[in-house]
């Protein structure tokens, strides 16, 4: 008799032990992993020399055939200042190269911006239409 | 004596039947609850699997889009670098001092044309509308 009750109580006890846990689902938004393209290579700019030419030098360059006295007379007559900024051909090349380098950087940055715009737009579109 | 034994057996049997019935009912109720929970869990897991499969699919699509666009970007960047290199080579291959000295008016025209073209290209490049390509 006592064995029966023992078995009975064990059965009830063991049934009570075995329970199924309810699964809780949590949905978390995962950030989109966007590949980052390498930035444009650093601009390598060259130094160049600027030469400032004042009235006297300009006049001497423009009128090399004139004498010192004639140049002095012309300077006296000159009402406004003539100032020219000159560069040597080599330095002019450097200016062009620097400008090209700036243009390259701007163009590359622009391409990268367009890249991001395109992929974010396409990813958004594909998420709307997906599955 | 016999009657009381019979009565005892009857009570014992009745108690056993009632206990068994109670246990059976309890087990049935417990198993129903369990089946319900398991079914709900199963549904949730199926949903979770489907969701994760969709996410994986979406991630794969995103990666594909990015890879294609990255290829396009690299091609464009290479073209830009080639153009910049071309100008550098052009200048290094020509003796500008000599050319200006020999053909000043022709070189002046070329220089001014090149400057104008450069400015136009830069304006086109920085046009906000061109970012919507």
């Amino acid at each position: 008799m006592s064995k029966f009750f023992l078995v009975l109580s064990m059965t009830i006890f063991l049934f009570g032990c075995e329970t199924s846990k309810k699964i809780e689902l949590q949905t978390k938004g995962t950030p989109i992993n966007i590949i980052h393209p390498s930035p444009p290579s650093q601009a390598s700019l060259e130094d160049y020399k600027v030469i400032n030419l004042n009235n006297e030098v300009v006049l001497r360059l423009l009128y090399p055939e004139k004498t010192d006295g004639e140049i002095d007379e012309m300077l006296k007559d000159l009402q406004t200042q003539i100032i020219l900024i000159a560069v040597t051909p080599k330095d002019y090349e450097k200016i062009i190269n620097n400008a090209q380098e700036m243009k390259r950087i701007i163009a590359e940055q622009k391409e990268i911006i367009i890249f991001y715009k395109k992929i974010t737009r396409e990813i958004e579109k594909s998420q709307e239409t997906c599955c | 004596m016999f009657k009381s034994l019979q009565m005892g057996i009857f009570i014992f049997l009745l108690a056993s039947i009632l206990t068994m019935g109670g246990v059976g009912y309890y087990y049935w109720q417990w198993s129903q609850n369990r089946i319900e929970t398991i079914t709900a869990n199963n549904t949730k897991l199926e949903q979770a699997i489907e969701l994760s499969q969709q996410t994986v699919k979406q991630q794969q699509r995103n990666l594909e889009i990015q890879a294609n666009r990255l290829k396009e970007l690299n091609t464009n960047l290479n073209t830009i670098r080639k153009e910049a290199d071309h100008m550098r080579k052009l200048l290094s291959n020509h003796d500008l001092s000599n050319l200006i000295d020999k053909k000043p008016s022709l070189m002046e025209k070329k220089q001014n044309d090149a400057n104008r073209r450069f400015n136009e290209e830069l304006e086109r490049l920085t046009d906000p509308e061109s970012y919507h390509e």
Side-chain angles (χ1 to χ4, degrees):
Chain A
M1 187 70 175
S2 60
K3 275 184 185 174
F4 172 75
F5 281 112
L6 185 70
V7 170
L8 190 71
S9 58
M10 283 293 283
T11 313
I12 293 166
F13 178 72
L14 287 173
F15 273 137
C17 282
E18 200 185 342
T19 52
S20 315
K21 280 182 187 173
K22 277 199 175 181
I23 292 172
E24 296 252 333
L25 274 185
Q26 280 187 329
T27 314
K28 278 184 186 172
T30 50
I32 303 164
N33 297 320
I34 294 174
I35 303 167
H36 291 257
S38 53
S41 53
Q42 195 185 12
S44 58
L45 306 177
E46 291 176 280
D47 291 335
Y48 50 84
K49 209 186 282 173
V50 175
I51 305 159
N52 293 324
L53 307 177
N54 61 14
N55 288 359
E56 197 181 334
V57 181
V58 172
L59 290 178
R60 282 183 199 286
L61 281 171
L62 290 174
Y63 307 101
E65 71 282 359
K66 302 264 182 195
T67 60
D68 286 357
E70 284 170 331
I71 292 287
D72 287 343
E73 280 300 310
M74 285 173 85
L75 280 166
K76 272 181 198 167
D77 292 341
L78 203 66
Q79 295 296 313
T80 52
Q81 275 192 320
I82 300 173
I83 302 289
L84 294 182
I85 299 165
V87 285
T88 62
K90 274 282 160 214
D91 284 346
Y92 180 71
E93 277 180 31
K94 287 174 186 174
I95 292 172
I96 294 170
N97 277 334
N98 286 356
Q100 280 295 331
E101 195 71 352
M102 292 294 187
K103 194 181 134 197
R104 178 186 68 78
I105 296 279
I106 293 167
E108 287 188 21
Q109 299 278 23
K110 185 185 171 182
E111 283 301 325
I112 289 168
I113 291 168
I114 292 171
F115 164 82
Y116 279 122
K117 278 192 165 192
K118 277 181 179 172
I119 60 160
T120 46
R121 198 168 51 231
E122 282 178 28
I123 285 171
E124 274 171 9
K125 257 188 202 171
S126 97
Q127 272 169 343
E128 280 168 14
T129 56
C130 175
C131 322
Chain B
M1 174 72 181
F2 182 70
K3 259 192 175 180
S4 63
L5 188 69
Q6 259 188 334
M7 196 64 177
I9 290 167
F10 175 73
I11 289 167
F12 174 73
L13 281 174
L14 191 71
S16 302
I17 288 164
L18 283 173
T19 312
M20 290 298 280
V23 169
Y25 178 71
Y26 171 77
Y27 176 73
W28 179 79
Q29 231 179 5
W30 170 83
S31 61
Q32 285 304 307
N33 285 340
R34 195 160 181 234
I35 288 165
E36 203 178 300
T37 313
I38 288 169
T39 312
N41 285 353
N42 199 37
T43 314
K44 281 180 186 174
L45 284 174
E46 276 173 6
Q47 282 173 353
I49 289 167
E50 202 182 324
L51 194 71
S52 64
Q53 276 175 345
Q54 277 180 13
T55 312
V56 169
K57 228 185 257 181
Q58 185 61 49
Q59 291 281 2
Q60 279 173 340
R61 268 191 190 194
N62 292 351
L63 273 176
E64 212 174 293
I65 290 168
Q66 287 185 61
N68 288 338
R69 288 292 166 209
L70 203 63
K71 216 185 278 176
E72 190 186 299
L73 173 72
N74 286 333
T75 315
N76 292 348
L77 292 184
N78 278 337
T79 313
I80 291 164
R81 281 165 201 166
K82 270 181 193 168
E83 275 174 24
D85 283 345
H86 171 73
M87 182 52 85
R88 205 168 288 128
K89 274 180 192 166
L90 198 75
L91 282 171
S92 63
N93 288 342
H94 291 85
D95 186 357
L96 210 59
S97 315
N98 190 31
L99 285 170
I100 293 170
D101 189 39
K102 281 186 177 165
K103 300 166 187 172
S105 57
L106 177 74
M107 284 309 290
E108 193 180 279
K109 190 185 175 305
K110 281 193 171 186
Q111 280 168 291
N112 289 330
D113 286 349
N115 283 342
R116 200 188 59 250
R117 263 201 315 276
F118 180 82
N119 289 344
E120 280 170 2
E121 276 172 27
L122 210 59
E123 275 174 5
R124 230 184 359 258
L125 200 64
T126 51
D127 179 13
E129 286 300 313
S130 66
Y131 280 77
H132 300 301
E133 281 165 21

